[in-house]
Amino acid sequence: MPLNIVMVEPEIPQNTGNVARTCALTGARLHLVGPMGFKIDDRKLKRAGLDYWYLLDITYYDSLDEFFEKNKCENNNFFYFTTKGRHIYSDVKYPDNAYLFFGKETKGLPETLLYNNPDTCVRMPMLNNERARSLNLSNTVAIATYEVLRQWGFPELLCEGQLHELKWDD
């Protein structure tokens, strides 16, 4: 039941590094759609998550058009995260092979894409604050990823930890 995280034209390397780390530790596939505001070898990207890069299932695209040519929507499995959405992200039932789309930090996803997909545009509830546009992108991706995985019963994820020096069962 793959989960797909699609970052469209990310601009801030630290956010992309953090998202890469979330994907590496949850098994989600990462799709990076250009143009990006940095190079993959960016020093800030490295600090934020590049040391997890070898754990990723990652695909790069030059544009949204290329992404859609190579990935077809099946069973309404494309979900567009936006502050403009009319549906709350946690009210949605995410199907297998879901794709969660996130736009660039300064503008979000293209408005025509949102307009053409109103039923699968979802949002995180937030206060109405004119000075604060939205949650941080990497935080939003993490919240959304874990909501989908929670609905799926956290497949293949370790759901119990152990202490290093002591044991829980003592």
Side-chain angles (χ1 to χ4, degrees):
M1 300 188 319
L3 175 58
N4 297 276
I5 304 302
V6 183
M7 296 183 72
V8 178
E9 300 181 14
E11 299 168 313
I12 300 174
Q14 296 93 325
N15 282 334
T16 302
N18 289 336
V19 170
R21 187 173 184 159
T22 296
C23 290
L25 293 171
T26 60
R29 293 177 181 161
L30 180 59
H31 303 263
L32 293 179
V33 178
M36 294 186 285
F38 53 88
K39 294 179 180 150
I40 291 302
D41 61 357
D42 190 295
R43 181 175 55 86
K44 294 173 185 167
L45 180 66
K46 183 178 267 185
R47 285 186 59 200
L50 193 61
D51 54 334
Y52 287 82
W53 223 252
Y54 73 98
L55 297 171
L56 288 171
D57 179 354
I58 186 167
T59 307
Y60 301 93
Y61 307 88
D62 290 330
S63 66
L64 260 178
D65 288 339
E66 180 186 358
F67 174 88
F68 288 122
E69 285 172 17
K70 294 181 177 178
N71 300 278
K72 304 297 180 200
C73 183
E74 300 169 356
N75 301 322
N76 287 329
N77 63 335
F78 286 7
F79 298 90
Y80 305 95
F81 282 74
T82 173
T83 58
K84 301 156 189 81
R86 295 185 288 176
H87 307 285
I88 297 174
Y89 79 103
S90 57
D91 290 343
V92 172
K93 181 168 176 23
Y94 297 93
D96 292 354
N97 199 34
Y99 285 77
L100 311 183
F101 287 75
F102 302 88
K104 63 171 112 180
E105 289 88 345
T106 56
K107 293 185 179 180
L109 292 166
E111 203 160 280
T112 54
L113 181 65
L114 302 176
Y115 182 79
N116 290 326
N117 297 283
D119 294 337
T120 54
C121 288
V122 297
R123 68 171 282 120
M124 305 264 169
M126 293 176 271
L127 293 174
N128 183 14
N129 187 332
E130 292 176 12
R131 291 178 285 166
R133 292 181 311 273
S134 63
L135 292 172
N136 173 272
L137 178 62
S138 63
N139 292 339
T140 302
V141 172
I143 292 166
T145 297
Y146 273 91
E147 172 59 21
V148 174
L149 294 172
R150 181 195 67 78
Q151 288 184 18
W152 292 354
F154 299 110
E156 299 182 34
L157 298 184
L158 183 62
C159 292
E160 182 179 299
Q162 289 296 327
L163 300 169
H164 292 286
E165 298 175 19
L166 302 171
K167 296 186 183 208
W168 288 117
D169 298 323
D170 284 351

